[in-house]
């Protein structure tokens, strides 16, 4: 591996939880020097509270294409429902259970 491609490497962690999910990352070189030097992005909930995680929720459109995740999925779906425009959307709370069910059926 040449030095220029090493600059683009990241160390990433994803926490896909039942209730909340989040992620963290660091540049590989910085992580090797100091494993505690990581970036944990903040999420902002509808009441403007800042958190390190967001609810594990996903919103898909009628073609089952991604629309939103987390707080944004919740807020968007509530707004669609208020306007009676939610019939063409799939709102999936705690979707990691869906994957576990599918694994059990295989």
């Amino acid at each position: 591996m040449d030095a220029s491609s090493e600059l683009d490497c990241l160390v990433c962690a994803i926490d896909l939880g039942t209730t909340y999910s989040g992620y963290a990352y660091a540049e590989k070189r910085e992580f090797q020097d100091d494993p505690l030097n990581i970036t944990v992005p903040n999420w902002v909930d509808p009441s403007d509270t800042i958190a390190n995680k967001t609810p594990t929720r996903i919103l898909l459109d009628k073609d089952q294409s991604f629309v939103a995740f987390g707080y944004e999925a919740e807020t968007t779906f509530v707004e669609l429902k208020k306007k009676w425009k939610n019939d063409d959307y799939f709102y999936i709370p705690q979707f990691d259970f869906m994957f576990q069910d599918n694994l059990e059926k295989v």
Side-chain angles (χ1 to χ4, degrees), residues 25-89:
Y25 63 91
E27 291 183 27
K28 182 179 177 184
R29 185 175 294 166
E30 290 178 10
F31 181 78
Q32 289 170 330
D33 293 339
D34 179 7
L36 298 179
N37 185 12
I38 59 174
T39 300
V40 180
N42 291 322
W43 304 82
V44 180
D45 74 9
S47 66
D48 288 334
T49 301
I50 297 172
N52 291 329
K53 292 187 177 186
T54 190
T56 304
R57 312 282 188 263
I58 191 167
L59 182 62
L60 306 174
D61 66 14
K62 65 181 177 184
D63 299 320
Q64 297 182 12
S65 295
F66 177 81
V67 174
F69 179 79
Y71 290 118
E72 184 181 350
E74 286 182 342
T75 304
T76 302
F77 187 71
V78 167
E79 291 303 314
L80 289 166
K81 203 169 180 178
K82 284 180 186 177
K83 297 174 185 176
W84 298 89
K85 295 182 178 183
N86 61 306
D87 286 343
D88 289 337
Y89 290 85

Side-chain angles (χ1 to χ4, degrees), residues 16-19 56 92-104:
L16 184 60
T18 301
T19 307
T56 304
I92 306 167
Q94 301 178 343
F95 69 94
D96 62 330
F97 282 124
M98 181 175 68
F99 296 126
Q100 290 173 4
D101 289 344
N102 287 338
L103 289 175
E104 291 173 10

